[in-house]
């Protein structure tokens, strides 16, 4: 779903239609009808609106670029034959867009050339991507292998960072307006906040009733996070869990700044580091983390033994960043 400045939004569905609706609900006794309906030729699985122009993109069997004044796509782009699950416009270089398909590809397109630029193939399927709103060439991909991968589109053969903390498939990802952090939603019934330059999350949110988290968004004021989950609830979280809401007095602001400086000053002390890092986790997630830690240690020990007992140069050591990249096609 994609919102526009003119207070309308567009949606796509399995009925091969693109519909435009008013943001305002119907009045008393009125029947809600879409403003415009476009009948397409294929099933659409995703939509995203251009950040500046009256253009939007849909995806399904291919990526279609639409002008709002026309009922047929301006151009269609495809690379491969599998269905495309998500498409996202770049908020800075607005002529760039990226998509992820069910054949494990992440494909980048340029609207000016009306052709695909390049694609990277991962070990497992990517569910969605999100562009960094402050760095034009950086995007993060939410993958089925429990990880998130931050890429620089100029060098797709190695991800900038691999973010590992989830214990099930990552279904959605969204950046904060500052571009320094992003939030992820996972099938393991949790929401995590990652710094862009760190492989581990700084915060995890969960409740007893929250089921598989399907979608997540960071608000434009950078203060709140919204998520939608399987039990049909929308939840609102604070981006900083300990932050006090409302108007602060001058003494409260001074005390807050002083406490923050104390934390930064003593952040490397073992006891302070343990307190800052500790998060309570549900038993299911905690047990899965322990199980995966044992499995990872067993694989690492096997690799060390194979390297130790093999002829020098016959076994190559692959870094964690390159381990999940199959190929880059240009």
């Amino acid at each position: 779903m994609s919102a526009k400045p003119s207070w309308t939004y567009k949606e796509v569905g399995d009925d091969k239609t693109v519909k435009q609706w008013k943001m305002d609900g119907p009045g008393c006794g009125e029947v809600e009808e879409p403003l415009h309906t476009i009948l397409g030729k294929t099933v659409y699985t995703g939509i995203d609106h251009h950040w500046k122009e009256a253009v939007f993109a849909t995806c399904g069997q291919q990526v279609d670029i639409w002008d709002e004044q026309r009922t047929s796509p301006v151009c269609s782009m495809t690379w491969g034959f599998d269905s495309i699950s998500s498409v996202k416009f770049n908020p800075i270089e607005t002529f760039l867009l990226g998509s992820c398909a069910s054949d494990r590809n992440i494909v980048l397109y340029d609207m000016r050339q009306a052709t695909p630029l390049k694609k990277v193939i991962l070990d497992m399927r990517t569910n969605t991507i999100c562009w960094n709103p402050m760095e034009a060439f950086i995007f993060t991909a939410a993958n089925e292998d429990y990880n998130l991968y931050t890429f620089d589109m100029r060098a797709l053969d190695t991800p900038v960072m691999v973010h590992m903390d989830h214990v099930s498939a990552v279904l959605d990802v969204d950046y904060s307006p500052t571009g320094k952090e992003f939030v992820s939603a996972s099938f393991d019934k949790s929401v995590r906040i990652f710094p862009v330059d760190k492989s581990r999350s700084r915060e995890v949110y969960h409740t007893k009733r929250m089921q598989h988290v399907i979608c997540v968004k960071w608000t434009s004021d950078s203060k709140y996070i919204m998520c939608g989950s399987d039990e049909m609830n929308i939840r609102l979280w604070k981006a900083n869990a300990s932050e006090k809401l409302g108007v602060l007095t001058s003494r409260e602001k001074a005390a807050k700044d002083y406490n923050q400086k104390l934390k930064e000053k003593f952040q490397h002390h073992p006891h302070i580091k343990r307190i800052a890092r500790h998060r309570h986790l549900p038993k299911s997630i905690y047990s899965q983390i322990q199980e995966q830690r044992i499995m990872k240690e067993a694989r690492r020990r096997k690799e060390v033994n194979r390297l130790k007992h093999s002829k020098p140069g016959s076994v190559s050591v692959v870094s964690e960043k390159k381990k999940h990249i199959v190929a880059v096609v240009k």
Side-chain angles (χ1 to χ4, degrees):
M1 194 173 289
S2 176
K4 287 178 48 189
S6 56
W7 303 107
T8 64
Y9 67 92
K10 289 185 169 59
E11 66 173 8
V12 293
D14 290 345
D15 56 357
K16 304 181 182 180
T17 60
V18 181
K19 294 183 180 181
Q20 182 178 359
W21 302 82
K22 290 191 297 184
M23 292 289 286
D24 301 329
C28 182
E30 293 181 5
V31 179
E32 189 171 16
E33 294 287 342
L35 296 174
H36 302 290
T37 301
I38 300 171
L39 182 61
K41 297 180 180 178
T42 60
V43 173
Y44 298 114
T45 55
I47 185 171
D48 194 40
H49 200 279
H50 195 280
W51 287 79
K52 295 180 180 179
E53 299 175 9
V55 173
F56 65 94
T58 59
C59 63
Q61 293 182 6
Q62 59 195 15
V63 172
D64 294 323
I65 307 297
W66 302 76
D67 190 316
E68 290 190 350
Q69 306 302 321
R70 299 179 59 177
T71 57
S72 60
V74 177
C75 68
S76 298
M77 297 177 283
T78 183
W79 195 349
F81 300 98
D82 278 88
S83 62
I84 300 166
S85 57
S86 175
V87 61
K88 291 290 174 70
F89 275 100
N90 191 316
I92 303 174
E93 301 290 344
T94 52
F95 47 81
L96 293 177
L97 65 156
S99 71
C100 43
S102 57
D103 57 356
R104 304 173 296 155
N105 291 339
I106 300 173
V107 187
L108 304 178
Y109 307 90
D110 190 335
M111 275 175 51
R112 297 169 300 182
Q113 299 178 8
T115 55
L117 290 176
K118 57 177 78 171
K119 70 176 176 180
V120 57
I121 307 170
L122 279 73
D123 266 343
M124 296 187 72
R125 189 183 71 188
T126 298
N127 289 312
T128 188
I129 67 169
C130 186
W131 294 91
N132 191 315
M134 289 296 168
E135 297 182 70
F137 303 107
I138 303 297
F139 67 91
T140 297
N143 204 272
E144 285 281 330
D145 65 358
Y146 314 169
N147 297 336
L148 296 110
Y149 300 94
T150 297
F151 285 95
D152 187 327
M153 66 169 288
R154 297 165 294 186
L156 291 175
D157 54 339
T158 305
V160 178
M161 186 62 64
V162 180
H163 309 275
M164 304 174 289
D165 255 346
H166 283 294
V167 294
S168 192
V170 188
L171 301 179
D172 199 13
V173 59
D174 191 42
Y175 266 92
S176 72
T178 61
K180 294 182 178 180
E181 293 181 324
F182 61 84
V183 60
S184 62
S186 174
F187 201 75
D188 63 10
K189 309 175 187 177
S190 71
V191 174
R192 288 184 182 267
I193 300 173
F194 290 86
V196 174
D197 56 347
K198 299 283 175 48
S199 62
R200 298 295 177 181
S201 61
R202 73 157 175 87
E203 193 63 78
V204 55
Y205 294 134
H206 57 86
T207 68
K208 281 188 176 181
R209 293 188 178 185
M210 187 165 72
Q211 297 302 308
H212 312 305
V213 190
I214 304 300
C215 57
V216 69
K217 287 292 178 186
W218 205 309
T219 59
S220 298
D221 60 358
S222 194
K223 285 185 175 295
Y224 303 100
I225 289 165
M226 293 183 289
C227 71
S229 46
D230 259 357
E231 83 288 358
M232 297 180 291
N233 284 333
I234 297 174
R235 288 180 171 83
L236 186 68
W237 311 86
K238 288 191 285 187
N240 284 317
S242 60
E243 183 181 7
K244 184 180 177 181
L245 300 180
V247 180
L248 299 178
T249 65
S250 57
R251 292 185 66 182
E252 284 178 320
K253 289 179 182 177
K256 177 186 171 186
D257 294 340
Y258 180 70
N259 291 334
Q260 186 62 33
K261 287 297 179 184
L262 278 178
K263 288 185 211 173
E264 292 174 7
K265 182 178 180 180
F266 297 104
Q267 62 180 330
H268 299 295
H269 189 281
H271 294 299
I272 304 297
K273 187 190 291 185
R274 186 188 66 80
I275 293 169
R277 192 178 61 238
H278 177 74
R279 295 291 182 274
H280 176 74
L281 292 172
K283 189 176 180 181
S284 59
I285 295 179
Y286 181 80
S287 59
Q288 283 179 284
I289 288 174
Q290 300 304 317
E291 184 180 347
Q292 287 185 15
R293 189 173 295 165
I294 294 169
M295 293 165 63
K296 186 176 286 186
E297 179 59 28
R299 285 195 295 267
R300 190 196 66 81
R301 194 166 56 245
K302 185 176 181 180
E303 288 177 4
V304 169
N305 289 338
R306 183 183 287 121
L307 187 64
K308 188 187 297 182
H309 299 290
S310 299
K311 185 179 178 181
S314 62
V315 178
S316 59
V317 179
V318 182
S319 67
E320 185 65 33
K321 289 183 177 181
K322 292 190 175 182
K323 198 175 288 184
H324 307 281
I325 307 300
V326 176
V328 177
V329 184
K330 298 183 180 180

